[in-house]
Amino acid sequence: MHEDSQKKRPTESVAQEEPVVVQAGLFPGATQVVTQPADPREVPFPPLVRTQPLTEQSSLAACALPYQQELKLRGKSNYTVTCFLSDLKMFTEFMGPETPVGRITKEDLVDWLMKLKFGNKDHTPAPKTMARRVTFLKNFFSWLAREGVIREDPSASLILERPLPPLPELLFEEEIERLLRAAAEDVRCLCLIYLTLHAGLKKEEIMILKPEHIDLSNPQQPLVSIHFPPSTGKQHRERSLVLPPEFTDIVREYLGKYQHQPGETLFNCTDRNLNYILARAVKAAGIKKRVTLQLLRDTFAVRQLRAGVSFETLRERLGLSDEAWLESREKYRRLAFPV
């Protein structure tokens, strides 16, 4: 009787210690699970809800929703969450959705990777795609091991071979001076360039920066603090950075010219507008190279290393996770200290 009423009302809460909802799995055809975890980006610090207690006998399909929540709680980008869940779906189709996670071996992982790499003669995955899939396996099974669901991590000894990314063409010092002179015609552009060239901020960090995050109490050491909303799960990337003394006058002029309402961001525009602002200065400076905000951030990183800053300190100043640093570290080493 209870089962019949539950089937008729699949989205209603059931009166228990915690509300539960019958919810279909992430993958088509997957068995139904109980309760979908709250989205941590919409509900700050939600309780850790399990669809069902996971054990080594739990199926791959049963791990999908808890793994999705784990990725979001770790502050992974939407792109990373989408890619890792897509990889999990492909791996689940290869192994079978009801396969217990405790029975999966390293040989199973290698067989899947080899099938992806050589199974389709008409399509060979890019090296970067294969590297991401190894990263997914390591992330997924290390999570299961960390949670005590499985006793041994079958991905622990997998070798992650990351393809070397193409190196960006950095600006010469003379080109940087030309860019700064051109940007001086627009204090908004000059403020933007200083935040990337002298603080190494990412575009997404610039977009959420507010005037109250800039401390000018010591004009000789203006300080910029990076903060993230609690719902993003990116508190590990929060940090404070010192900029050159001239940034104090730049910010004061900018805030005097562009009035801000309480709570507004420093650049009250879209990220595309930021690209246009920079592009105009690049054109005025007569620079033919492709100059982006990321390129200026790369320049900041290389300058830091050449000034004697350690790799670990640079990682902290860039606000990179250990995972993201694996690829970035080699790129910056090659740029700063070419053989």
Side-chain angles (χ1 to χ4, degrees), residues 180-245:
L180 290 172
R181 286 197 298 270
E185 300 299 319
D186 179 3
V187 68
R188 179 176 56 173
C189 182
L190 193 59
C191 184
L192 173 64
I193 289 177
Y194 262 72
L195 288 169
T196 50
L197 189 62
H198 293 289
L201 301 193
K202 293 184 69 173
K203 184 192 292 186
E204 67 166 313
E205 295 170 341
I206 293 174
M207 292 296 298
I208 63 175
L209 192 64
K210 297 180 180 180
E212 55 263 34
H213 296 157
I214 302 176
D215 181 6
L216 303 179
S217 57
N218 182 351
Q220 295 304 307
Q221 290 187 320
L223 196 66
V224 174
S225 297
I226 310 303
H227 297 281
F228 292 92
S231 59
T232 62
K234 296 181 180 181
Q235 280 66 40
H236 62 285
R237 288 174 51 187
E238 295 188 342
R239 61 204 188 278
S240 294
L241 299 153
V242 177
L243 282 92

Side-chain angles (χ1 to χ4, degrees), residues 116-175:
L116 292 175
K117 190 171 184 178
F118 302 111
N120 188 345
K121 295 181 180 180
D122 298 327
H123 175 70
T124 302
K128 191 171 183 178
T129 300
M130 291 303 300
R132 191 205 70 224
R133 285 167 178 163
V134 174
T135 300
F136 149 70
L137 289 174
K138 285 182 168 292
N139 183 279
F140 177 68
F141 284 101
S142 66
W143 163 67
L144 290 176
R146 191 169 60 248
E147 292 289 316
V149 177
I150 56 178
R151 283 173 282 186
E152 294 185 6
D153 179 358
S155 71
S157 59
L158 285 179
I159 298 176
L160 177 58
E161 297 180 356
R162 290 181 177 270
L164 293 177
L167 294 178
E169 189 177 4
L170 298 181
L171 296 178
F172 299 127
E173 289 299 321
E174 182 270 337
E175 291 173 318

Side-chain angles (χ1 to χ4, degrees), residues 25-294:
L26 281 180
F27 306 147
T31 55
Q32 288 192 322
V33 296
V34 177
T35 192
Q36 182 173 17
D39 188 339
R41 292 170 298 186
E42 298 178 0
V43 183
F45 306 109
L48 287 174
V49 181
R50 290 295 181 217
T51 54
Q52 288 178 353
L54 296 178
T55 70
E56 60 182 7
Q57 295 302 316
S58 297
S59 67
L60 277 168
C63 294
L65 279 174
Y67 183 55
Q68 179 188 51
Q69 186 192 34
E70 163 70 9
L71 293 173
K72 292 179 179 179
L73 286 173
R74 293 284 177 180
K76 301 298 184 184
S77 67
N78 289 336
Y79 176 78
T80 298
V81 173
T82 299
C83 287
F84 280 10
L85 289 179
S86 174
D87 292 337
L88 177 57
K89 182 176 184 294
M90 294 175 65
F91 182 64
T92 299
E93 291 172 349
F94 174 78
M95 293 296 301
E98 300 305 321
T99 301
V101 290
R103 296 184 185 178
I104 298 174
T105 65
K106 177 185 176 181
E107 288 69 27
D108 294 325
L109 308 188
V110 172
D111 287 347
W112 179 61
L113 292 172
M114 291 301 98
K115 181 178 184 298
L116 292 175
K117 190 171 184 178
F118 302 111
N120 188 345
K121 295 181 180 180
D122 298 327
H123 175 70
T124 302
K128 191 171 183 178
T129 300
M130 291 303 300
R132 191 205 70 224
R133 285 167 178 163
V134 174
T135 300
F136 149 70
L137 289 174
K138 285 182 168 292
N139 183 279
F140 177 68
F141 284 101
S142 66
W143 163 67
L144 290 176
R146 191 169 60 248
E147 292 289 316
V149 177
I150 56 178
R151 283 173 282 186
E152 294 185 6
D153 179 358
S155 71
S157 59
L158 285 179
I159 298 176
L160 177 58
E161 297 180 356
R162 290 181 177 270
L164 293 177
L167 294 178
E169 189 177 4
L170 298 181
L171 296 178
F172 299 127
E173 289 299 321
E174 182 270 337
E175 291 173 318
I176 292 175
E177 292 300 321
R178 283 161 47 196
L179 178 62
L180 290 172
R181 286 197 298 270
E185 300 299 319
D186 179 3
V187 68
R188 179 176 56 173
C189 182
L190 193 59
C191 184
L192 173 64
I193 289 177
Y194 262 72
L195 288 169
T196 50
L197 189 62
H198 293 289
L201 301 193
K202 293 184 69 173
K203 184 192 292 186
E204 67 166 313
E205 295 170 341
I206 293 174
M207 292 296 298
I208 63 175
L209 192 64
K210 297 180 180 180
E212 55 263 34
H213 296 157
I214 302 176
D215 181 6
L216 303 179
S217 57
N218 182 351
Q220 295 304 307
Q221 290 187 320
L223 196 66
V224 174
S225 297
I226 310 303
H227 297 281
F228 292 92
S231 59
T232 62
K234 296 181 180 181
Q235 280 66 40
H236 62 285
R237 288 174 51 187
E238 295 188 342
R239 61 204 188 278
S240 294
L241 299 153
V242 177
L243 282 92
E246 60 267 24
F247 184 67
T248 298
D249 291 336
I250 293 172
V251 171
R252 285 174 175 168
E253 181 182 350
Y254 173 67
L255 294 177
K257 184 174 181 180
Y258 296 90
Q259 299 297 318
H260 290 75
Q261 299 298 320
E264 280 189 344
T265 55
L266 186 66
F267 295 98
N268 192 18
C269 61
T270 66
D271 61 348
R272 182 173 293 184
N273 291 140
L274 294 184
N275 294 335
Y276 290 152
I277 293 169
L278 176 61
R280 284 197 295 266
V282 172
K283 183 178 181 181
I287 298 173
K288 303 304 181 182
K289 295 175 181 176
R290 183 174 181 270
V291 182
T292 63
L293 293 174
Q294 179 60 46

Side-chain angles (χ1 to χ4, degrees), residues 1-16 18-24 32-35 51-52:
M1 189 70 178
H2 174 69
E3 292 180 357
D4 292 340
S5 62
Q6 194 178 46
K7 290 179 180 179
K8 293 178 181 179
R9 296 177 296 171
T11 60
E12 290 185 10
S13 298
V14 181
Q16 291 185 359
E18 294 183 357
V20 294
V21 179
V22 175
Q23 167 73 33
Q32 288 192 322
V33 296
V34 177
T35 192
T51 54
Q52 288 178 353

